[in-house]
Structure formats: C-alpha cells, structure tokens
C-alpha cells in the first residue's frame, strides 16, 4: 500500500515541476501560445488534484501507527498545490491584462494598477470563501448538536411517559388494596359490634337477688 502511495508521490512531483515551469513561461509567450499554455496548465492542475485524492485515499488505508509520516507529507503537497493555483491565477491575470492592453491600447502603468487591483480582489474573494466555509462547518456542527439534543429529549420523554404509566398502575393497585382493607376493617367492626350488642342484652336479662342469694335469669 505504501508503494502505491510512493508511486503517486513520484507522479505528483514530476507533474508539479512541469506545471511550475509552464506557469513561469506564460507571461513571456506570444498570445496564441499563451492561450494554449493556459489550457494545458489547467488540465495538468486537474490531474494533480486527482493524484492528491488518490494519495489521500491511500493514507486512509495505512495503519494508524504508521499514518503520521504520510499525513505530514500530504499536508506539504496540499500546500504546494495551493501555491501552484495561486501562481497560476496571477499568471492568468497578467495574461488577461496584457491581452486587454493590446486590444485597448492601455499604457503600462494602467496595466500594473489593474493587475494589482485584480490581485487584491482575488485575495478578498479567497478570504470570503474561507469564511463561508468556516461558517458552513459551524452550521453543520450546530445542526448535529441540535439533532443529538432532540434525540436525548425524545428518550427523556419516553422515560417520563413510562414512569407516569407505572405511577398510574401503582395508584390503581393502591386503590384496590385500600378498598380490600376497608372491607376487611368494616367486617371486623361489624362482628365486634354484634358481639358487644349480645353481651349487653344478656346483662339486661339477668336479675340479681342479693338478699336471697338467688339470681334469676335465663337457663
């Protein structure tokens, strides 16, 4: 796997060297050759990007304990790619200014001022693009956090609903138990009252004759 990476690495080195050489030649070429050279460089830049993608995929397949060295090399290659794209943009701007000057007959000072203005605008656009990308990343992360919070709230809601159902079942069981105990207590009280009433009735029916030492009552 590392051998595949090194193969892509060699191809990338050769290709970026050719691109660097062609970018440096663009301002000095005649208009027709410049146009052809610009198209050629654009094609090679796309090829270099594809090589970087292949190299990145190879790095992901490398075991974590050996991945650090290759990751550092990838960062260096990506920085090199960014520099090539920036140099190419400047070269194209210079080429566009020169073509426009030839068509409109602008003087050299005007061309320099326009080129500086265009470079400044390009850098501003790049900074704005980076800020937009950072804002988009923050929005994505915020959305993920919000989704996780909604899922947690949904789980908590289910737990609360289950707890309420268990509480209702407990209340129902307590109600049944209370009714059973009330019935049992009522039954005990009725029996106790019946025995007390009978005892009082017996005591009223008995007649005591203390002088004769005789008690008359039911047998």
């Amino acid at each position: 796997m590392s051998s595949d990476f090194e193969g892509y690495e060699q191809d990338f080195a050769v290709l970026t060297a050719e691109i660097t050489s062609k970018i440096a030649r663009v301002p000095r070429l005649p208009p027709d050759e410049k146009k052809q050279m610009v198209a050629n460089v654009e094609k090679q830049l796309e090829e270099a990007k594809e090589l970087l993608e292949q190299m990145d995929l190879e790095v992901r397949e490398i075991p974590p304990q050996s991945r650090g060295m290759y990751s550092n090399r990838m960062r260096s290659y990506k920085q090199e790619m960014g520099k090539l794209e920036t140099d190419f943009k400047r070269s194209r701007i210079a080429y566009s200014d020169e073509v426009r000057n030839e068509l409109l007959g602008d003087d050299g000072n005007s061309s320099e001022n326009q080129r500086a203005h265009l470079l400044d605008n390009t850098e501003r656009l790049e900074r704005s693009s980076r800020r937009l990308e950072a804002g988009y990343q923050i929005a994505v992360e915020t959305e993920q956090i919000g989704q996780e919070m909604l899922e947690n709230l949904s789980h908590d809601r289910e737990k609360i609903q289950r707890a309420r159902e268990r509480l209702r079942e407990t209340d129902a069981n307590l109600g049944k138990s209370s009714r059973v105990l009330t019935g049992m207590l009522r039954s005990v009280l009725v029996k106790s009252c019946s025995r007390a009433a009978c005892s009082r009735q017996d005591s009223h029916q008995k007649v005591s004759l203390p002088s004769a030492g005789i008690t008359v009552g039911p047998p």
Side-chain angles (χ1 to χ4, degrees):
M1 187 175 299
S2 60
S3 61
D4 294 335
F5 179 87
E6 291 173 355
Y8 291 132
E9 194 175 31
Q10 292 176 0
D11 293 340
F12 181 79
V14 172
L15 188 57
T16 52
E18 292 180 1
I19 293 173
T20 301
S21 176
K22 290 178 180 179
I23 290 175
R25 289 166 54 195
V26 167
R28 299 192 299 270
L29 293 174
D32 293 339
E33 294 184 15
K34 283 181 181 179
K35 184 176 181 180
Q36 184 178 359
M37 183 66 73
V38 167
N40 193 354
V41 171
E42 288 177 343
K43 181 179 179 181
Q44 287 186 321
L45 285 172
E46 290 299 323
E47 293 177 359
K49 290 180 181 178
E50 292 178 0
L51 284 174
L52 279 180
E53 292 176 358
Q54 292 294 330
M55 292 162 69
D56 198 17
L57 291 175
E58 292 294 331
V59 169
R60 294 179 184 179
E61 297 296 328
I62 295 175
Q65 60 270 20
S66 304
R67 192 180 301 167
M69 177 182 63
Y70 294 96
S71 297
N72 293 334
R73 286 154 70 174
M74 280 300 302
R75 280 194 292 270
S76 175
Y77 295 144
K78 289 178 180 179
Q79 291 175 358
E80 182 179 357
M81 187 70 194
K83 183 177 182 303
L84 284 176
E85 290 178 335
T86 300
D87 292 343
F88 182 55
K89 286 179 182 179
R90 291 175 178 173
S91 177
R92 289 187 63 180
I93 291 172
Y95 165 64
S96 299
D97 286 345
E98 185 175 347
V99 172
R100 185 173 59 254
N101 291 339
E102 291 177 356
L103 292 175
L104 300 178
D106 292 342
D107 57 20
N109 292 331
S110 175
S111 175
E112 289 296 330
N113 292 334
Q114 290 176 356
R115 181 162 55 252
H117 182 67
L118 288 173
L119 287 173
D120 184 55
N121 288 339
T122 301
E123 292 177 356
R124 289 180 181 178
L125 287 174
E126 290 177 352
R127 289 195 297 269
S128 298
S129 178
R130 287 193 294 270
R131 285 195 294 267
L132 288 174
E133 290 178 357
Y136 174 76
Q137 185 65 29
I138 292 173
V140 170
E141 293 176 355
T142 303
E143 182 181 0
Q144 292 175 350
I145 294 172
Q147 184 66 28
E148 292 176 357
M149 292 179 64
L150 288 175
E151 292 177 356
N152 292 334
L153 289 174
S154 177
H155 293 327
D156 292 342
R157 181 181 179 183
E158 293 177 358
K159 291 179 181 178
I160 292 172
Q161 289 177 346
R162 288 195 296 268
R164 286 178 177 175
E165 291 175 358
R166 288 194 295 268
L167 183 59
R168 292 192 189 99
E169 293 176 357
T170 303
D171 288 342
N173 293 332
L174 288 174
K176 292 179 182 178
S177 300
S178 178
R179 288 193 294 272
V180 171
L181 289 173
T182 301
M184 293 173 64
L185 181 59
R186 186 180 292 112
S187 176
V188 171
L189 290 174
V190 168
K191 290 180 180 180
S192 298
C193 290
S194 298
R195 287 196 295 270
C198 291
S199 297
R200 286 196 298 272
Q201 185 177 0
D202 291 343
S203 64
H204 286 307
Q205 290 178 355
K206 289 183 180 181
V207 178
S208 191
L209 299 175
S211 60
I214 299 172
T215 300
V216 179

